[in-house]
Amino acid sequence: MNFLRGVMGGPSAGPQPSGADTIQKLCDRVASSTLLDDRRDAVRALKSLSKKYRLEVGIQAMEHLIHVLQTDRSDSEIIGYALDTLYNVISNDLEEEEQEENSAKQVDDLGSQFTEIFIKQHENVTLLLTLVEEFDFHVRWPGVKLLTSLLKQQGPQVQQIILVSPMGVSRLMDLLADSREVIRNDGVLLLQQLTKSNAAIQKIVAFENAFERLLDIITEEGNSDGGIVVEDCLLLLQNLLKNNNSNQNFFKEGSYIQRMKPWFEVGDDNCGWSAQKVTNLHLMLQLVRVLVSPTNPPGATSSCQKAMFHCGLLQQLCTILMATGVPADILTETINTVSEVIRGCQTNQDYFASVNAPSNPPRPAIVVLLMSMVNERQPFVLRCAVLYCFQCFLYKNQKGQGEIVSTLLPSTIDATGNSVSAGQLLCGGLFSTDSLSNWCAAVALAHALQENATLKEQLLRVQLATSIGNPPVSLLQQCTNILSQGSKVQTRVGLLMLLCTWLSNCSIAVTHFLHNPANVPFLTGQIAENLGEEEQLVQGLCALLLGISIYYNDNSLENYRKEKLKQLIEKRIGRENFIEKLGFISKHELYSRAAQKPQPSFSSPDHMMFDHEFTKLVKELEGVISKAIYKSSEEDKKEEEVKKTLEQHDNIVTHYKKVIREQDQELEELKQRVSTLTSQNEQLQATVTQQVSQIQQHKDQYNLLKVQLGKDTQHHNSHGDTLQMNGIQTEEVSKLKEELEEWKNKHELLQGQLKEKDSVIEKLNSSQLEMGTTEQSSQTSKFGGLEHNNELQKELEMLRSQIQLQSAEISKLQMENQKLQVMNTTADPVFGDSGATAATSSELEGRLEQEIKELKGEVKALSEEKESLKQHLDSSSSTVAILQDEKSKLQREVAESKKEQDDLLVLLADQDQKISALKIKLKDLGVPVEDEDDTESGDQGDEDEDGDEEEQD
């Protein structure tokens, strides 16, 4: 202990030892001391020196500290000191006063080097995982911190060691269930480092119920109002879900999306947003975007979008979108989140179109957002977010595109001017003095026309009033007028992208564009000039627009036919120069950035030049236009002829596809109806079987009654003299017995008739199953089968009612026999009593005569039932004959329909051969031709996607 006092700075007469010497002596004490207390004190002293003398302690003491962890497991205190010492040596999280800017890099290298030494022996990490399992706070907490530090320094190597360690990840998952918040919170930080960029560990953690535990912690901490623990849990959830399709699917199927809705339930009082709440909500919105990111597989994104709509999450986001007092960065991220939740999902897009802002009068949310987009006083990031939202609303949404364009058409414009429409806002932004508004409005309008030839033609009807006294000008003409006025580069780029999108795949729009004699000279003049780098982008877009005017030209204007435009390019520009200028677009740096992802993200407004969807159009048309420029007029003619022939054949094939599709639908309907009738017949068969079993039970009961009546008869024979004294003759009793026997025989006869009825029903069922093979028969035969099935059902109902009547009669007979038995038993003491009176005997005789009359009536009723059953059997046999005739008719019609289908298949095969021959000719001419398999697979994919949406709805 005196030695330790000198180490810790106590009074000493001699000179003070240096730090290295002290550490060396402490290490010797740890290695050589036999007493646990001495080793514990030495390790505690090393811990106190480890921050100041980090390098020395790490070099000299690491091996001894690892040995302590291996050998002194029984003492939690020394284990805790050793773990803290190793953490101080390996971790770079030093106190601020101990860090210097000049030595920051050296500190990072030092921690990494010590980590590499520690994990060189994989057993050390395994030992650390074992210590983390200890419940003792002084062992578990420093163990968690040390393992977290190791992952920060050498993440991939430590991840691999933990992954191959038995139950390594599962041990760490137990930290989330620790009741001590300090360990639980540090466990979340540990799992953050463990799951970084490792899909295998992410899957294991997810299937260890991590989602459930993390969502519980977020709820306990108060959702978005929680502290930094909520932030850590959200970061861990992002690690588990981002770019991990398996975990995303597991998260959706586990119904965890529904648990995200309370996160966004922001109160009406939106003032006083704390910085932590803003951070939490921002991460929550990012987590939603991870699930519906455009980079995810389309099927997974679509299912998550539908789940968010059905659980009310989209509605909650729209509430935040229209709320007041929301911070600008949260509002921007909310707009981006709503954008990706509705992108490509028709149900969500329709809902978003119905959302109104809480204004007076109420305005659609789309109109309010567009007002922000064309307002130059709004933040740049917010305007980009609104543009992205508008693009996502129109993505694969022809209905929404039509609604936007319809607000520009003359028949739908509000003449009173009381309300502002989306189309009016876009036109206003398109022709404003702000170049950014021009670009955003042009791109938004281009998305309204994307892949929709009908709307491109309708937009040609839009007329604009430029000034008082002047006639109105078409929207197309006004765009070209502004283009020729030499406005800013950003404005011209936006207008050129709009015109290229408008004219592509629309010959009528190309004709309207060429009808203005000033457009072609303007384009050729722009392309032919030698301008600076800023103007090269405009030249490339002008070349693209001119190329579209050639490629989609239907030669309806004599002065601007394809051949004349090519000659004009050859004379004024030169083909090589034209192709070079066309290549300026795809070589531009901003083009490459825009092609990466759909969301428009620009560092500054000056970089806002290209749209993501437009880059796809350029990639599609660049090669086609280059080939079209070098084609001769004869090749163009041949190409046109081949195109027309292909269109005709495509129309024929489309027609037959439609016919086959309709037949398939009819077949499905017939299958459903046959399955329904089959199930009904099975139910009726089960009912009949049940009734037969009940009748068998009644038969057994009657056999028992017969035995009992026989015993009673013997008993009455033994008392024959007594019966004769009371006026009851044995002949009447024997007559009663014969009548009961006759009733039994009639009952067995009815039982046989029921079995015959069952066989008839089985035949009808078999004929119904044979009718299942006639699924392609005509509609009239289908209705005939339904009528016969209805007749069968009626007959079965009548049979059921008859069986019920018979059961009631049987129960009555049982009651009567029971009464007879009671009377026989009561007769014995009466007959044995010598003092019985004559009145009692006469009363008994009257009762027996009454019972005999009732039995005769029952026998008569049963004979009548027998006659009625015979009549029903006759009607059933006639029904069977009719059904067999119908069956033969249906079989003949099936044979005829099969023959017709074979003829259709032969015709289709001939058409396919002709189409393949024509495609070979086109390929020889250099015309790109899409394979029919690709086209059909695309169509089938669209149909499957529509089918999934309908089933989900």
Side-chain angles (χ1 to χ4, degrees):
M1 296 300 293
N2 291 332
F3 168 74
L4 287 175
R5 291 194 194 97
V7 171
M8 301 305 294
S12 177
Q16 296 291 333
S18 64
D21 295 338
T22 303
I23 293 169
Q24 182 61 47
K25 291 177 181 179
L26 289 172
C27 291
D28 293 340
R29 179 63 62 87
V30 172
S32 61
S33 179
T34 57
L35 294 177
L36 179 61
D37 293 339
D38 290 344
R39 293 199 303 275
R40 186 190 305 118
D41 293 337
V43 174
R44 182 167 59 241
L46 286 173
K47 173 189 173 184
S48 63
L49 295 172
S50 59
K51 291 186 178 181
K52 185 175 181 180
Y53 299 100
R54 179 183 179 189
L55 178 62
E56 292 80 1
V57 173
I59 294 174
Q60 300 181 36
M62 180 174 288
E63 184 178 353
H64 300 294
L65 293 171
I66 294 173
H67 183 71
V68 168
L69 296 178
Q70 294 172 346
T71 57
D72 292 330
R73 293 280 302 277
S74 60
D75 187 72
S76 61
E77 191 173 358
I78 191 173
I79 295 294
Y81 292 149
L83 291 172
D84 284 333
T85 306
L86 288 172
Y87 173 75
N88 292 337
V89 169
I90 291 174
S91 175
N92 291 327
D93 299 334
L94 303 178
E95 297 180 1
E96 293 182 0
E97 60 268 15
E98 296 178 4
Q99 284 186 345
E100 296 180 2
E101 295 181 359
N102 297 332
S103 62
K105 185 176 180 181
Q106 180 181 358
V107 168
D108 291 341
D109 293 341
L110 194 60
S112 179
Q113 291 172 5
F114 282 136
T115 301
E116 189 173 353
I117 295 171
F118 184 84
I119 67 173
K120 190 174 183 180
Q121 298 294 330
H122 294 179
E123 294 80 7
N124 295 338
V125 179
T126 306
L127 175 62
L128 189 55
L129 290 173
T130 306
L131 294 173
V132 168
E133 282 188 298
E134 297 289 338
F135 185 75
D136 194 312
F137 180 82
H138 298 289
V139 176
R140 196 172 204 183
W141 188 38
V144 171
K145 293 195 296 181
L146 176 58
L147 190 56
T148 305
S149 182
L150 292 174
L151 286 165
K152 286 181 179 179
Q153 302 296 337
Q154 297 287 341
Q157 293 87 340
V158 180
Q159 285 175 342
Q160 192 61 32
I161 297 171
I162 295 174
L163 191 59
V164 299
S165 177
M167 300 295 291
V169 179
S170 299
R171 295 175 185 178
L172 300 179
M173 284 300 300
D174 293 337
L175 297 173
L176 295 180
D178 200 304
S179 58
R180 295 160 293 192
E181 290 189 3
V182 176
I183 295 179
R184 183 199 69 183
N185 298 342
D186 283 348
V188 174
L189 297 176
L190 169 61
L191 291 173
Q192 278 185 26
Q193 299 298 326
L194 180 65
T195 55
K196 277 186 177 179
S197 304
N198 193 309
I201 294 179
Q202 290 169 1
K203 291 179 182 178
I204 295 173
V205 171
F207 282 94
E208 288 285 346
N209 206 23
F211 293 139
E212 183 76 28
R213 296 182 183 181
L214 291 173
L215 292 173
D216 288 341
I217 294 173
I218 292 174
T219 304
E220 292 172 4
E221 294 292 327
N223 294 328
S224 61
D225 293 323
I228 196 171
V229 178
V230 174
E231 178 182 351
D232 294 334
C233 291
L234 292 170
L235 290 172
L236 177 55
L237 285 172
Q238 282 193 16
N239 285 353
L240 295 175
L241 293 173
K242 196 169 186 178
N243 299 324
N244 194 318
N245 299 328
S246 174
N247 283 2
Q248 290 175 7
N249 188 45
F250 180 69
F251 190 85
K252 176 187 69 67
E253 292 181 351
S255 300
Y256 296 119
I257 291 178
Q258 287 80 343
R259 297 188 60 179
M260 298 171 70
K261 181 187 175 184
W263 295 356
F264 306 101
E265 292 177 354
V266 180
D268 297 333
D269 186 12
N270 291 327
C271 59
W273 288 64
S274 64
Q276 186 62 55
K277 182 175 182 178
V278 171
T279 302
N280 291 343
L281 202 56
H282 200 272
L283 290 172
M284 290 171 178
L285 292 168
Q286 288 182 348
L287 192 62
V288 175
R289 294 185 65 183
V290 165
L291 295 172
V292 294
S293 173
T295 58
N296 294 343
T301 300
S302 177
S303 59
C304 289
Q305 289 173 331
K306 293 175 182 176
M308 290 177 182
F309 173 76
H310 289 300
C311 74
L313 180 57
L314 174 59
Q315 293 84 330
Q316 203 66 45
L317 292 173
C318 291
T319 302
I320 298 177
L321 194 66
M322 294 292 105
T324 57
V326 179
D329 52 347
I330 294 296
L331 181 59
T332 302
E333 190 65 21
T334 303
I335 294 173
N336 288 327
T337 305
V338 171
S339 304
E340 294 183 352
V341 172
I342 67 174
R343 187 176 188 269
C345 181
Q346 187 65 52
T347 304
N348 295 2
Q349 289 168 339
D350 291 343
Y351 170 77
F352 184 70
S354 66
V355 175
N356 288 324
S359 60
N360 191 14
R363 290 178 176 174
I366 298 174
V367 173
V368 176
L369 291 175
L370 288 178
M371 291 172 69
S372 301
M373 185 186 74
V374 298
N375 187 354
E376 55 185 317
R377 292 175 294 180
Q378 293 292 339
F380 172 68
V381 180
L382 179 63
R383 298 174 73 180
C384 290
V386 173
L387 176 61
Y388 183 47
C389 184
F390 191 73
Q391 291 174 349
C392 292
F393 170 68
L394 297 178
Y395 182 71
K396 292 184 178 180
N397 184 10
Q398 293 189 353
K399 178 182 177 182
Q401 289 176 325
E403 291 174 353
I404 296 298
V405 173
S406 65
T407 59
L408 286 167
L409 299 178
S411 59
T412 58
I413 295 178
D414 186 6
T416 60
N418 294 330
S419 61
V420 180
S421 65
Q424 291 172 342
L425 288 171
L426 290 177
C427 283
L430 195 62
F431 306 125
S432 70
T433 56
D434 178 30
S435 61
L436 185 59
S437 297
N438 301 151
W439 190 92
C440 291
V443 170
L445 195 55
H447 275 262
L449 303 175
Q450 199 79 35
E451 298 179 359
N452 199 324
T454 304
L455 295 182
K456 292 177 182 179
E457 296 177 7
Q458 290 184 3
L459 201 63
L460 296 172
R461 297 165 46 202
V462 177
Q463 300 289 322
L464 302 175
T466 55
S467 59
I468 300 174
N470 293 328
V473 180
S474 68
L475 177 61
L476 182 65
Q477 182 62 43
Q478 185 65 14
C479 290
T480 56
N481 291 342
I482 296 175
L483 195 61
S484 61
Q485 291 174 2
S487 53
K488 294 182 180 180
V489 174
Q490 191 175 42
T491 300
R492 284 181 287 165
V493 169
L495 290 172
L496 286 169
M497 287 195 298
L498 172 60
L499 291 174
C500 290
T501 305
W502 194 346
L503 268 60
S504 63
N505 203 21
C506 184
S507 300
I508 298 177
V510 171
T511 303
H512 279 71
F513 179 77
L514 296 176
H515 190 71
N516 187 350
N519 289 338
V520 173
F522 169 74
L523 293 178
T524 54
Q526 288 287 319
I527 300 169
E529 291 182 6
N530 293 321
L531 303 174
E533 293 183 0
E534 293 182 356
E535 296 293 334
Q536 285 183 352
L537 185 56
V538 176
Q539 286 183 317
L541 291 171
C542 289
L544 178 65
L545 182 58
L546 185 57
I548 290 172
S549 302
I550 295 174
Y551 185 73
Y552 292 105
N553 194 341
D554 58 357
N555 295 326
S556 59
L557 295 177
E558 184 63 29
N559 295 332
Y560 295 104
R561 299 174 63 85
K562 286 185 178 182
E563 190 61 31
K564 291 187 177 181
L565 290 176
K566 290 179 186 178
Q567 294 174 1
L568 184 64
I569 290 175
E570 180 68 24
K571 293 178 181 179
R572 300 261 183 103
I573 304 171
R575 293 180 179 178
E576 291 78 9
N577 190 24
F578 179 86
I579 299 300
E580 181 184 0
K581 297 294 177 68
L582 183 62
F584 285 164
I585 302 175
S586 57
K587 294 177 182 178
H588 203 280
E589 179 184 1
L590 297 178
Y591 174 90
S592 303
R593 291 183 185 177
Q596 293 176 0
K597 57 182 181 179
Q599 182 181 1
S601 56
F602 306 99
S603 57
S604 67
D606 296 335
H607 293 164
M608 207 169 188
M609 289 293 177
F610 284 108
D611 173 58
H612 177 76
E613 293 297 328
F614 181 74
T615 60
K616 295 181 181 179
L617 182 66
V618 173
K619 186 177 180 180
E620 177 186 349
L621 294 178
E622 186 176 7
V624 175
I625 291 174
S626 300
K627 292 180 181 179
I629 294 299
Y630 287 98
K631 283 182 182 178
S632 62
S633 58
E634 294 180 357
E635 292 176 343
D636 287 336
K637 290 180 181 179
K638 290 181 180 180
E639 181 181 346
E640 290 294 333
E641 292 178 358
V642 172
K643 280 185 177 180
K644 290 180 179 178
T645 307
L646 279 175
E647 287 179 358
Q648 292 176 356
H649 287 293
D650 288 340
N651 292 334
I652 294 173
V653 172
T654 304
H655 172 69
Y656 283 120
K657 284 182 180 179
K658 184 179 179 181
V659 172
I660 292 172
R661 192 176 294 113
E662 291 176 354
Q663 290 181 350
D664 290 340
Q665 292 177 355
E666 292 179 358
L667 286 175
E668 289 298 328
E669 293 177 357
L670 287 172
K671 286 180 180 179
Q672 292 177 359
R673 293 189 179 183
V674 168
S675 62
T676 303
L677 292 173
T678 304
S679 62
Q680 291 177 356
N681 286 331
E682 290 176 354
Q683 293 176 359
L684 293 172
Q685 183 67 27
T687 304
V688 170
T689 305
Q690 184 180 2
Q691 294 291 337
V692 170
S693 64
Q694 290 178 358
I695 291 172
Q696 185 64 35
Q697 291 176 3
H698 291 311
K699 181 179 179 181
D700 296 338
Q701 291 175 1
Y702 282 123
N703 290 332
L704 291 174
L705 287 173
K706 177 183 176 183
V707 174
Q708 292 177 358
L709 286 172
K711 291 181 180 180
D712 292 340
T713 303
Q714 292 177 0
H715 178 74
H716 287 296
N717 289 333
S718 63
H719 297 281
D721 296 337
T722 309
L723 289 173
Q724 289 178 1
M725 290 172 61
N726 290 280
I728 300 176
Q729 301 297 326
T730 56
E731 289 82 6
E732 292 179 353
V733 174
S734 61
K735 187 177 180 180
L736 176 61
K737 181 179 178 180
E738 290 174 358
E739 288 177 350
L740 289 174
E741 188 67 26
E742 182 182 359
W743 188 92
K744 176 185 173 183
N745 295 332
K746 290 181 179 180
H747 180 72
E748 289 176 353
L749 180 62
L750 290 175
Q751 184 69 22
Q753 292 175 356
L754 282 175
K755 290 182 180 179
E756 291 177 0
K757 188 68 174 182
D758 292 339
S759 64
V760 172
I761 291 171
E762 290 177 356
K763 290 180 181 179
L764 291 176
N765 285 332
S766 62
S767 65
Q768 180 62 33
L769 292 175
E770 292 176 356
M771 286 174 65
T773 60
T774 63
E775 294 170 348
Q776 296 181 351
S777 61
S778 62
Q779 191 70 21
T780 58
S781 63
K782 180 170 62 179
F783 290 145
L786 290 174
E787 292 176 358
H788 293 304
N789 282 306
N790 291 330
E791 293 177 359
L792 176 61
Q793 291 176 1
K794 291 179 180 178
E795 292 176 358
L796 290 175
E797 289 295 334
M798 293 173 65
L799 179 60
R800 185 184 302 169
S801 62
Q802 293 170 6
I803 292 172
Q804 291 177 354
L805 290 173
Q806 188 176 5
S807 300
E809 293 169 357
I810 290 170
S811 61
K812 288 181 180 179
L813 187 58
Q814 288 177 349
M815 293 292 292
E816 292 167 359
N817 283 317
Q818 289 176 1
K819 290 179 181 179
L820 286 174
Q821 292 175 4
V822 172
M823 291 169 61
N824 288 329
T825 54
T826 54
D828 291 339
V830 173
F831 297 152
D833 189 2
S834 59
T837 61
T840 304
S841 299
S842 60
E843 183 180 358
L844 180 59
E845 181 181 358
R847 289 182 181 177
L848 287 175
E849 289 177 354
Q850 185 177 0
E851 294 293 336
I852 291 170
K853 290 180 180 179
E854 289 179 356
L855 286 174
K856 289 180 179 179
E858 294 293 337
V859 169
K860 185 177 180 180
L862 286 173
S863 62
E864 292 176 356
E865 290 292 335
K866 175 183 176 181
E867 294 297 328
S868 63
L869 284 175
K870 285 183 178 179
Q871 293 177 0
H872 286 298
L873 284 174
D874 294 337
S875 62
S876 297
S877 60
S878 63
T879 303
V880 169
I882 294 171
L883 286 175
Q884 288 177 349
D885 293 337
E886 292 295 332
K887 173 184 172 183
S888 61
K889 290 180 181 179
L890 291 174
Q891 288 177 346
R892 289 195 298 272
E893 290 174 354
V894 168
E896 292 175 359
S897 63
K898 286 183 178 179
K899 183 178 179 182
E900 291 176 359
Q901 283 192 346
D902 292 337
D903 296 338
L904 287 175
L905 289 174
V906 170
L907 180 59
L908 285 174
D910 294 338
Q911 295 296 336
D912 289 337
Q913 290 178 357
K914 292 180 182 179
I915 290 171
S916 60
L918 291 172
K919 285 185 177 179
I920 291 172
K921 291 181 181 179
L922 279 176
K923 289 181 180 179
D924 294 338
L925 294 174
V927 178
V929 180
E930 292 182 356
D931 291 337
E932 186 179 0
D933 294 338
D934 298 338
T935 306
E936 290 183 352
S937 64
D939 296 339
Q940 186 65 31
D942 293 340
E943 292 176 3
D944 293 342
E945 183 176 358
D946 295 339
D948 293 342
E949 292 178 358
E950 291 175 359
E951 291 176 2
Q952 185 68 24
D953 294 336

